[in-house]
Amino acid sequence: MATTTLTLLRSPVLARKLPYIHSKFPSLPKPSKLDLSKKESSKLLNENIHQLISSASLPITAFSLPLFLDAKDAFAVGGEFGILEGKTFALIHPAVMGLLFFYTLWAGYLGWQWRRVRTIQNEISELKKQVKPAAVTPDGKPVEAPPSPVELKIQQLTEERKELIKGSYKDRHFNAGSILLGFGVLESIGGGLNTWFRTGKLFPGPHLFAGAGITVLWAVAAALVPAMQKGNETARNLHIALNALNVLLFIWQIPTGFEIVLKVFEFTKWP
């Protein structure tokens, strides 16, 4: 304790605190230079220093300990975070991300159906250009004839479009994308925090980098929505491409995530 305190006393930070420390302890007797020999003066000085260290070591150490601890020691992991370091909290991330993977596929399906609503109308418009005018009699009455293949196709697509419109795919896709963005970003950051709670550090590697990439793709794809709502076809195509890449990254990330889950069961305790 005395050695630690002497080391701390040499610190420039504590040097500014010494006047306060001296004010808390009684003044030590000062020997007279005329009455003491050189040997006695040295002995008395050592005793005085020892007395000061013994009485002040505990408060000085308690005061200075937070200032001189290494940062990595201050954030050491060993039960300080309680259940946040346990297996229960660690398994939340893989469970949520597994659900979000399937929810991503569902959101993609809804988006594709909404795209079909828009593109099917373009198909109908193009087919209508191919319909030949109906034949008429000399007196101007239309000649009854079976519908042509083009007209049958138009009828089929029109019925299909009506059914798609009933599905409200536009609103459902928008809502699904919003939920995916919110929970996805939240759980991506939560996964990194959970690793830090359990180990005191992060592990740069495929799983971490893929997760960061997925989070960025979510954000960029969502940022294209205003342009998409204005009819920008380039933004729509880029939105689809980014989300397709997102799904591929998600699939590629599954094996590394499974390995981490096995390590959680091996090295982490309940709860």
Side-chain angles (χ1 to χ4, degrees), residues 39-74:
K39 183 177 181 179
E40 291 174 338
S41 299
S42 176
K43 180 180 179 180
L44 183 57
L45 179 60
N46 289 336
E47 292 177 351
N48 292 340
I49 292 175
H50 178 74
Q51 181 183 352
L52 176 61
I53 290 174
S54 298
S55 59
S57 59
L58 182 58
I60 291 176
T61 304
F63 165 78
S64 59
L65 189 59
L67 299 177
F68 294 92
L69 278 176
D70 191 353
K72 63 183 181 182
D73 295 329

PDB file of all heavy atoms in Angstrom, residues 39-74:
ATOM      1  N   LYS A  39      22.288  13.115  11.561  1.00  0.00           N
ATOM      2  CA  LYS A  39      21.768  11.749  11.594  1.00  0.00           C
ATOM      3  C   LYS A  39      20.382  11.713  12.211  1.00  0.00           C
ATOM      4  O   LYS A  39      19.472  11.044  11.722  1.00  0.00           O
ATOM      5  CB  LYS A  39      22.712  10.856  12.377  1.00  0.00           C
ATOM      6  CG  LYS A  39      22.294   9.389  12.406  1.00  0.00           C
ATOM      7  CD  LYS A  39      23.337   8.570  13.136  1.00  0.00           C
ATOM      8  CE  LYS A  39      22.929   7.086  13.149  1.00  0.00           C
ATOM      9  NZ  LYS A  39      23.938   6.251  13.837  1.00  0.00           N
ATOM     10  N   GLU A  40      20.183  12.467  13.306  1.00  0.00           N
ATOM     11  CA  GLU A  40      18.884  12.509  13.966  1.00  0.00           C
ATOM     12  C   GLU A  40      17.834  13.166  13.083  1.00  0.00           C
ATOM     13  O   GLU A  40      16.667  12.777  13.077  1.00  0.00           O
ATOM     14  CB  GLU A  40      19.010  13.252  15.306  1.00  0.00           C
ATOM     15  CG  GLU A  40      19.832  12.478  16.344  1.00  0.00           C
ATOM     16  CD  GLU A  40      20.045  13.319  17.583  1.00  0.00           C
ATOM     17  OE1 GLU A  40      19.945  14.560  17.461  1.00  0.00           O
ATOM     18  OE2 GLU A  40      20.315  12.745  18.636  1.00  0.00           O
ATOM     19  N   SER A  41      18.259  14.212  12.351  1.00  0.00           N
ATOM     20  CA  SER A  41      17.320  14.891  11.446  1.00  0.00           C
ATOM     21  C   SER A  41      16.820  13.945  10.362  1.00  0.00           C
ATOM     22  O   SER A  41      15.639  13.904  10.035  1.00  0.00           O
ATOM     23  CB  SER A  41      17.991  16.104  10.784  1.00  0.00           C
ATOM     24  OG  SER A  41      18.384  17.027  11.764  1.00  0.00           O
ATOM     25  N   SER A  42      17.729  13.137   9.812  1.00  0.00           N
ATOM     26  CA  SER A  42      17.349  12.186   8.772  1.00  0.00           C
ATOM     27  C   SER A  42      16.404  11.139   9.326  1.00  0.00           C
ATOM     28  O   SER A  42      15.422  10.761   8.684  1.00  0.00           O
ATOM     29  CB  SER A  42      18.604  11.532   8.197  1.00  0.00           C
ATOM     30  OG  SER A  42      18.262  10.547   7.255  1.00  0.00           O
ATOM     31  N   LYS A  43      16.677  10.665  10.553  1.00  0.00           N
ATOM     32  CA  LYS A  43      15.833   9.645  11.176  1.00  0.00           C
ATOM     33  C   LYS A  43      14.434  10.183  11.430  1.00  0.00           C
ATOM     34  O   LYS A  43      13.427   9.518  11.164  1.00  0.00           O
ATOM     35  CB  LYS A  43      16.471   9.175  12.476  1.00  0.00           C
ATOM     36  CG  LYS A  43      15.652   8.094  13.189  1.00  0.00           C
ATOM     37  CD  LYS A  43      16.348   7.677  14.448  1.00  0.00           C
ATOM     38  CE  LYS A  43      15.518   6.613  15.195  1.00  0.00           C
ATOM     39  NZ  LYS A  43      16.177   6.187  16.438  1.00  0.00           N
ATOM     40  N   LEU A  44      14.369  11.414  11.964  1.00  0.00           N
ATOM     41  CA  LEU A  44      13.077  12.015  12.265  1.00  0.00           C
ATOM     42  C   LEU A  44      12.287  12.271  10.985  1.00  0.00           C
ATOM     43  O   LEU A  44      11.058  12.097  10.932  1.00  0.00           O
ATOM     44  CB  LEU A  44      13.274  13.315  13.034  1.00  0.00           C
ATOM     45  CG  LEU A  44      11.973  14.026  13.492  1.00  0.00           C
ATOM     46  CD1 LEU A  44      11.144  13.094  14.356  1.00  0.00           C
ATOM     47  CD2 LEU A  44      12.324  15.293  14.253  1.00  0.00           C
ATOM     48  N   LEU A  45      12.987  12.665   9.935  1.00  0.00           N
ATOM     49  CA  LEU A  45      12.320  12.914   8.658  1.00  0.00           C
ATOM     50  C   LEU A  45      11.709  11.627   8.118  1.00  0.00           C
ATOM     51  O   LEU A  45      10.569  11.617   7.623  1.00  0.00           O
ATOM     52  CB  LEU A  45      13.312  13.502   7.652  1.00  0.00           C
ATOM     53  CG  LEU A  45      12.747  13.793   6.250  1.00  0.00           C
ATOM     54  CD1 LEU A  45      11.597  14.790   6.332  1.00  0.00           C
ATOM     55  CD2 LEU A  45      13.844  14.316   5.330  1.00  0.00           C
ATOM     56  N   ASN A  46      12.424  10.536   8.214  1.00  0.00           N
ATOM     57  CA  ASN A  46      11.895   9.249   7.737  1.00  0.00           C
ATOM     58  C   ASN A  46      10.668   8.828   8.531  1.00  0.00           C
ATOM     59  O   ASN A  46       9.696   8.306   7.978  1.00  0.00           O
ATOM     60  CB  ASN A  46      12.969   8.164   7.835  1.00  0.00           C
ATOM     61  CG  ASN A  46      14.078   8.360   6.800  1.00  0.00           C
ATOM     62  OD1 ASN A  46      13.845   8.997   5.769  1.00  0.00           O
ATOM     63  ND2 ASN A  46      15.266   7.842   7.075  1.00  0.00           N
ATOM     64  N   GLU A  47      10.713   9.056   9.856  1.00  0.00           N
ATOM     65  CA  GLU A  47       9.562   8.709  10.690  1.00  0.00           C
ATOM     66  C   GLU A  47       8.341   9.552  10.322  1.00  0.00           C
ATOM     67  O   GLU A  47       7.210   9.063  10.308  1.00  0.00           O
ATOM     68  CB  GLU A  47       9.917   8.903  12.168  1.00  0.00           C
ATOM     69  CG  GLU A  47      10.949   7.900  12.686  1.00  0.00           C
ATOM     70  CD  GLU A  47      11.322   8.183  14.130  1.00  0.00           C
ATOM     71  OE1 GLU A  47      10.891   9.250  14.643  1.00  0.00           O
ATOM     72  OE2 GLU A  47      12.053   7.380  14.714  1.00  0.00           O
ATOM     73  N   ASN A  48       8.592  10.836  10.070  1.00  0.00           N
ATOM     74  CA  ASN A  48       7.491  11.721   9.697  1.00  0.00           C
ATOM     75  C   ASN A  48       6.843  11.290   8.369  1.00  0.00           C
ATOM     76  O   ASN A  48       5.623  11.286   8.218  1.00  0.00           O
ATOM     77  CB  ASN A  48       7.962  13.172   9.572  1.00  0.00           C
ATOM     78  CG  ASN A  48       8.349  13.742  10.927  1.00  0.00           C
ATOM     79  OD1 ASN A  48       7.944  13.237  11.969  1.00  0.00           O
ATOM     80  ND2 ASN A  48       9.153  14.805  10.923  1.00  0.00           N
ATOM     81  N   ILE A  49       7.698  10.935   7.410  1.00  0.00           N
ATOM     82  CA  ILE A  49       7.182  10.491   6.110  1.00  0.00           C
ATOM     83  C   ILE A  49       6.386   9.209   6.269  1.00  0.00           C
ATOM     84  O   ILE A  49       5.305   9.041   5.690  1.00  0.00           O
ATOM     85  CB  ILE A  49       8.335  10.293   5.108  1.00  0.00           C
ATOM     86  CG1 ILE A  49       8.971  11.644   4.762  1.00  0.00           C
ATOM     87  CG2 ILE A  49       7.835   9.595   3.838  1.00  0.00           C
ATOM     88  CD1 ILE A  49      10.183  11.544   3.871  1.00  0.00           C
ATOM     89  N   HIS A  50       6.895   8.291   7.078  1.00  0.00           N
ATOM     90  CA  HIS A  50       6.200   7.032   7.311  1.00  0.00           C
ATOM     91  C   HIS A  50       4.837   7.263   7.963  1.00  0.00           C
ATOM     92  O   HIS A  50       3.839   6.637   7.604  1.00  0.00           O
ATOM     93  CB  HIS A  50       7.062   6.118   8.183  1.00  0.00           C
ATOM     94  CG  HIS A  50       6.383   4.801   8.499  1.00  0.00           C
ATOM     95  ND1 HIS A  50       6.256   3.798   7.549  1.00  0.00           N
ATOM     96  CD2 HIS A  50       5.803   4.344   9.633  1.00  0.00           C
ATOM     97  CE1 HIS A  50       5.626   2.773   8.092  1.00  0.00           C
ATOM     98  NE2 HIS A  50       5.344   3.085   9.355  1.00  0.00           N
ATOM     99  N   GLN A  51       4.814   8.198   8.931  1.00  0.00           N
ATOM    100  CA  GLN A  51       3.545   8.514   9.597  1.00  0.00           C
ATOM    101  C   GLN A  51       2.543   9.120   8.622  1.00  0.00           C
ATOM    102  O   GLN A  51       1.356   8.789   8.636  1.00  0.00           O
ATOM    103  CB  GLN A  51       3.811   9.476  10.754  1.00  0.00           C
ATOM    104  CG  GLN A  51       2.521   9.849  11.528  1.00  0.00           C
ATOM    105  CD  GLN A  51       2.792  10.851  12.622  1.00  0.00           C
ATOM    106  OE1 GLN A  51       3.955  11.158  12.905  1.00  0.00           O
ATOM    107  NE2 GLN A  51       1.744  11.358  13.221  1.00  0.00           N
ATOM    108  N   LEU A  52       3.004  10.008   7.750  1.00  0.00           N
ATOM    109  CA  LEU A  52       2.116  10.636   6.772  1.00  0.00           C
ATOM    110  C   LEU A  52       1.564   9.608   5.794  1.00  0.00           C
ATOM    111  O   LEU A  52       0.373   9.586   5.474  1.00  0.00           O
ATOM    112  CB  LEU A  52       2.869  11.740   6.013  1.00  0.00           C
ATOM    113  CG  LEU A  52       2.083  12.439   4.879  1.00  0.00           C
ATOM    114  CD1 LEU A  52       0.852  13.120   5.456  1.00  0.00           C
ATOM    115  CD2 LEU A  52       2.963  13.430   4.160  1.00  0.00           C
ATOM    116  N   ILE A  53       2.425   8.719   5.316  1.00  0.00           N
ATOM    117  CA  ILE A  53       1.995   7.696   4.355  1.00  0.00           C
ATOM    118  C   ILE A  53       0.992   6.751   4.980  1.00  0.00           C
ATOM    119  O   ILE A  53      -0.017   6.385   4.382  1.00  0.00           O
ATOM    120  CB  ILE A  53       3.215   6.925   3.813  1.00  0.00           C
ATOM    121  CG1 ILE A  53       4.050   7.840   2.911  1.00  0.00           C
ATOM    122  CG2 ILE A  53       2.776   5.683   3.041  1.00  0.00           C
ATOM    123  CD1 ILE A  53       5.348   7.218   2.435  1.00  0.00           C
ATOM    124  N   SER A  54       1.261   6.336   6.236  1.00  0.00           N
ATOM    125  CA  SER A  54       0.379   5.378   6.905  1.00  0.00           C
ATOM    126  C   SER A  54      -1.019   5.944   7.107  1.00  0.00           C
ATOM    127  O   SER A  54      -2.020   5.264   6.960  1.00  0.00           O
ATOM    128  CB  SER A  54       0.967   4.984   8.267  1.00  0.00           C
ATOM    129  OG  SER A  54       2.216   4.349   8.083  1.00  0.00           O
ATOM    130  N   SER A  55      -1.102   7.235   7.461  1.00  0.00           N
ATOM    131  CA  SER A  55      -2.399   7.847   7.735  1.00  0.00           C
ATOM    132  C   SER A  55      -3.127   8.270   6.469  1.00  0.00           C
ATOM    133  O   SER A  55      -4.343   8.319   6.445  1.00  0.00           O
ATOM    134  CB  SER A  55      -2.215   9.070   8.655  1.00  0.00           C
ATOM    135  OG  SER A  55      -1.347  10.007   8.036  1.00  0.00           O
ATOM    136  N   ALA A  56      -2.399   8.579   5.409  1.00  0.00           N
ATOM    137  CA  ALA A  56      -3.025   9.122   4.201  1.00  0.00           C
ATOM    138  C   ALA A  56      -3.143   8.123   3.075  1.00  0.00           C
ATOM    139  O   ALA A  56      -3.772   8.412   2.057  1.00  0.00           O
ATOM    140  CB  ALA A  56      -2.226  10.345   3.695  1.00  0.00           C
ATOM    141  N   SER A  57      -2.531   6.933   3.220  1.00  0.00           N
ATOM    142  CA  SER A  57      -2.496   5.993   2.098  1.00  0.00           C
ATOM    143  C   SER A  57      -3.878   5.558   1.649  1.00  0.00           C
ATOM    144  O   SER A  57      -4.167   5.503   0.459  1.00  0.00           O
ATOM    145  CB  SER A  57      -1.671   4.756   2.469  1.00  0.00           C
ATOM    146  OG  SER A  57      -2.246   4.116   3.608  1.00  0.00           O
ATOM    147  N   LEU A  58      -4.769   5.265   2.585  1.00  0.00           N
ATOM    148  CA  LEU A  58      -6.091   4.791   2.209  1.00  0.00           C
ATOM    149  C   LEU A  58      -6.916   5.848   1.480  1.00  0.00           C
ATOM    150  O   LEU A  58      -7.441   5.598   0.403  1.00  0.00           O
ATOM    151  CB  LEU A  58      -6.838   4.281   3.447  1.00  0.00           C
ATOM    152  CG  LEU A  58      -8.235   3.707   3.162  1.00  0.00           C
ATOM    153  CD1 LEU A  58      -8.138   2.568   2.162  1.00  0.00           C
ATOM    154  CD2 LEU A  58      -8.888   3.251   4.464  1.00  0.00           C
ATOM    155  N   PRO A  59      -7.048   7.075   2.034  1.00  0.00           N
ATOM    156  CA  PRO A  59      -7.834   8.069   1.287  1.00  0.00           C
ATOM    157  C   PRO A  59      -7.215   8.455  -0.038  1.00  0.00           C
ATOM    158  O   PRO A  59      -7.911   8.712  -1.013  1.00  0.00           O
ATOM    159  CB  PRO A  59      -7.918   9.266   2.246  1.00  0.00           C
ATOM    160  CG  PRO A  59      -6.949   9.009   3.328  1.00  0.00           C
ATOM    161  CD  PRO A  59      -6.682   7.553   3.386  1.00  0.00           C
ATOM    162  N   ILE A  60      -5.875   8.502  -0.099  1.00  0.00           N
ATOM    163  CA  ILE A  60      -5.217   8.872  -1.363  1.00  0.00           C
ATOM    164  C   ILE A  60      -5.464   7.803  -2.407  1.00  0.00           C
ATOM    165  O   ILE A  60      -5.790   8.091  -3.564  1.00  0.00           O
ATOM    166  CB  ILE A  60      -3.698   9.089  -1.150  1.00  0.00           C
ATOM    167  CG1 ILE A  60      -3.473  10.345  -0.308  1.00  0.00           C
ATOM    168  CG2 ILE A  60      -2.986   9.201  -2.487  1.00  0.00           C
ATOM    169  CD1 ILE A  60      -2.018  10.583   0.026  1.00  0.00           C
ATOM    170  N   THR A  61      -5.312   6.556  -1.994  1.00  0.00           N
ATOM    171  CA  THR A  61      -5.518   5.461  -2.936  1.00  0.00           C
ATOM    172  C   THR A  61      -6.959   5.417  -3.409  1.00  0.00           C
ATOM    173  O   THR A  61      -7.233   5.233  -4.601  1.00  0.00           O
ATOM    174  CB  THR A  61      -5.146   4.111  -2.276  1.00  0.00           C
ATOM    175  OG1 THR A  61      -3.800   4.189  -1.811  1.00  0.00           O
ATOM    176  CG2 THR A  61      -5.280   2.973  -3.281  1.00  0.00           C
ATOM    177  N   ALA A  62      -7.899   5.594  -2.493  1.00  0.00           N
ATOM    178  CA  ALA A  62      -9.317   5.575  -2.870  1.00  0.00           C
ATOM    179  C   ALA A  62      -9.657   6.704  -3.822  1.00  0.00           C
ATOM    180  O   ALA A  62     -10.459   6.545  -4.746  1.00  0.00           O
ATOM    181  CB  ALA A  62     -10.183   5.673  -1.612  1.00  0.00           C
ATOM    182  N   PHE A  63      -9.019   7.867  -3.601  1.00  0.00           N
ATOM    183  CA  PHE A  63      -9.277   9.019  -4.466  1.00  0.00           C
ATOM    184  C   PHE A  63      -8.676   8.826  -5.853  1.00  0.00           C
ATOM    185  O   PHE A  63      -9.276   9.139  -6.870  1.00  0.00           O
ATOM    186  CB  PHE A  63      -8.719  10.282  -3.809  1.00  0.00           C
ATOM    187  CG  PHE A  63      -8.617  11.461  -4.751  1.00  0.00           C
ATOM    188  CD1 PHE A  63      -9.745  12.189  -5.079  1.00  0.00           C
ATOM    189  CD2 PHE A  63      -7.402  11.794  -5.325  1.00  0.00           C
ATOM    190  CE1 PHE A  63      -9.654  13.249  -5.944  1.00  0.00           C
ATOM    191  CE2 PHE A  63      -7.314  12.853  -6.195  1.00  0.00           C
ATOM    192  CZ  PHE A  63      -8.438  13.585  -6.498  1.00  0.00           C
ATOM    193  N   SER A  64      -7.452   8.300  -5.893  1.00  0.00           N
ATOM    194  CA  SER A  64      -6.707   8.267  -7.144  1.00  0.00           C
ATOM    195  C   SER A  64      -6.932   7.019  -7.960  1.00  0.00           C
ATOM    196  O   SER A  64      -6.600   6.997  -9.148  1.00  0.00           O
ATOM    197  CB  SER A  64      -5.206   8.396  -6.855  1.00  0.00           C
ATOM    198  OG  SER A  64      -4.784   7.328  -6.019  1.00  0.00           O
ATOM    199  N   LEU A  65      -7.509   5.973  -7.401  1.00  0.00           N
ATOM    200  CA  LEU A  65      -7.652   4.725  -8.122  1.00  0.00           C
ATOM    201  C   LEU A  65      -8.420   4.874  -9.433  1.00  0.00           C
ATOM    202  O   LEU A  65      -7.977   4.383 -10.464  1.00  0.00           O
ATOM    203  CB  LEU A  65      -8.334   3.689  -7.226  1.00  0.00           C
ATOM    204  CG  LEU A  65      -8.360   2.250  -7.765  1.00  0.00           C
ATOM    205  CD1 LEU A  65      -6.948   1.742  -8.016  1.00  0.00           C
ATOM    206  CD2 LEU A  65      -9.102   1.340  -6.803  1.00  0.00           C
ATOM    207  N   PRO A  66      -9.574   5.574  -9.450  1.00  0.00           N
ATOM    208  CA  PRO A  66     -10.276   5.713 -10.734  1.00  0.00           C
ATOM    209  C   PRO A  66      -9.490   6.488 -11.770  1.00  0.00           C
ATOM    210  O   PRO A  66      -9.713   6.324 -12.959  1.00  0.00           O
ATOM    211  CB  PRO A  66     -11.568   6.457 -10.353  1.00  0.00           C
ATOM    212  CG  PRO A  66     -11.716   6.266  -8.888  1.00  0.00           C
ATOM    213  CD  PRO A  66     -10.328   6.187  -8.347  1.00  0.00           C
ATOM    214  N   LEU A  67      -8.569   7.343 -11.327  1.00  0.00           N
ATOM    215  CA  LEU A  67      -7.819   8.171 -12.273  1.00  0.00           C
ATOM    216  C   LEU A  67      -6.698   7.413 -12.935  1.00  0.00           C
ATOM    217  O   LEU A  67      -6.278   7.745 -14.040  1.00  0.00           O
ATOM    218  CB  LEU A  67      -7.233   9.398 -11.545  1.00  0.00           C
ATOM    219  CG  LEU A  67      -8.248  10.339 -10.899  1.00  0.00           C
ATOM    220  CD1 LEU A  67      -7.525  11.449 -10.159  1.00  0.00           C
ATOM    221  CD2 LEU A  67      -9.182  10.913 -11.947  1.00  0.00           C
ATOM    222  N   PHE A  68      -6.169   6.374 -12.269  1.00  0.00           N
ATOM    223  CA  PHE A  68      -4.975   5.712 -12.753  1.00  0.00           C
ATOM    224  C   PHE A  68      -5.233   4.298 -13.256  1.00  0.00           C
ATOM    225  O   PHE A  68      -4.325   3.644 -13.713  1.00  0.00           O
ATOM    226  CB  PHE A  68      -3.908   5.670 -11.641  1.00  0.00           C
ATOM    227  CG  PHE A  68      -3.404   7.042 -11.285  1.00  0.00           C
ATOM    228  CD1 PHE A  68      -4.005   7.769 -10.262  1.00  0.00           C
ATOM    229  CD2 PHE A  68      -2.395   7.631 -11.997  1.00  0.00           C
ATOM    230  CE1 PHE A  68      -3.564   9.033  -9.942  1.00  0.00           C
ATOM    231  CE2 PHE A  68      -1.949   8.898 -11.683  1.00  0.00           C
ATOM    232  CZ  PHE A  68      -2.527   9.612 -10.645  1.00  0.00           C
ATOM    233  N   LEU A  69      -6.469   3.825 -13.179  1.00  0.00           N
ATOM    234  CA  LEU A  69      -6.773   2.528 -13.748  1.00  0.00           C
ATOM    235  C   LEU A  69      -6.703   2.600 -15.261  1.00  0.00           C
ATOM    236  O   LEU A  69      -7.120   3.569 -15.877  1.00  0.00           O
ATOM    237  CB  LEU A  69      -8.181   2.081 -13.342  1.00  0.00           C
ATOM    238  CG  LEU A  69      -8.314   1.434 -11.966  1.00  0.00           C
ATOM    239  CD1 LEU A  69      -9.788   1.143 -11.705  1.00  0.00           C
ATOM    240  CD2 LEU A  69      -7.499   0.164 -11.852  1.00  0.00           C
ATOM    241  N   ASP A  70      -6.147   1.564 -15.871  1.00  0.00           N
ATOM    242  CA  ASP A  70      -6.127   1.491 -17.321  1.00  0.00           C
ATOM    243  C   ASP A  70      -7.566   1.387 -17.814  1.00  0.00           C
ATOM    244  O   ASP A  70      -8.407   0.766 -17.179  1.00  0.00           O
ATOM    245  CB  ASP A  70      -5.326   0.268 -17.753  1.00  0.00           C
ATOM    246  CG  ASP A  70      -5.032   0.286 -19.256  1.00  0.00           C
ATOM    247  OD1 ASP A  70      -5.558   1.154 -19.960  1.00  0.00           O
ATOM    248  OD2 ASP A  70      -4.277  -0.567 -19.691  1.00  0.00           O
ATOM    249  N   ALA A  71      -7.859   1.969 -19.003  1.00  0.00           N
ATOM    250  CA  ALA A  71      -9.230   1.961 -19.516  1.00  0.00           C
ATOM    251  C   ALA A  71      -9.752   0.539 -19.693  1.00  0.00           C
ATOM    252  O   ALA A  71     -10.907   0.258 -19.429  1.00  0.00           O
ATOM    253  CB  ALA A  71      -9.295   2.704 -20.850  1.00  0.00           C
ATOM    254  N   LYS A  72      -8.890  -0.367 -20.138  1.00  0.00           N
ATOM    255  CA  LYS A  72      -9.368  -1.728 -20.354  1.00  0.00           C
ATOM    256  C   LYS A  72      -9.724  -2.410 -19.040  1.00  0.00           C
ATOM    257  O   LYS A  72     -10.573  -3.296 -19.005  1.00  0.00           O
ATOM    258  CB  LYS A  72      -8.316  -2.546 -21.104  1.00  0.00           C
ATOM    259  CG  LYS A  72      -7.009  -2.729 -20.362  1.00  0.00           C
ATOM    260  CD  LYS A  72      -6.010  -3.493 -21.216  1.00  0.00           C
ATOM    261  CE  LYS A  72      -4.694  -3.705 -20.475  1.00  0.00           C
ATOM    262  NZ  LYS A  72      -3.704  -4.411 -21.298  1.00  0.00           N
ATOM    263  N   ASP A  73      -9.052  -2.031 -17.931  1.00  0.00           N
ATOM    264  CA  ASP A  73      -9.406  -2.594 -16.639  1.00  0.00           C
ATOM    265  C   ASP A  73     -10.739  -2.040 -16.154  1.00  0.00           C
ATOM    266  O   ASP A  73     -11.524  -2.735 -15.524  1.00  0.00           O
ATOM    267  CB  ASP A  73      -8.317  -2.279 -15.607  1.00  0.00           C
ATOM    268  CG  ASP A  73      -6.995  -2.960 -15.968  1.00  0.00           C
ATOM    269  OD1 ASP A  73      -7.059  -4.045 -16.573  1.00  0.00           O
ATOM    270  OD2 ASP A  73      -5.935  -2.406 -15.653  1.00  0.00           O
ATOM    271  N   ALA A  74     -10.990  -0.779 -16.469  1.00  0.00           N
ATOM    272  CA  ALA A  74     -12.241  -0.167 -16.022  1.00  0.00           C
ATOM    273  C   ALA A  74     -13.452  -0.808 -16.697  1.00  0.00           C
ATOM    274  O   ALA A  74     -14.538  -0.804 -16.154  1.00  0.00           O
ATOM    275  CB  ALA A  74     -12.222   1.331 -16.335  1.00  0.00           C
TER     276      ALA A  74
END
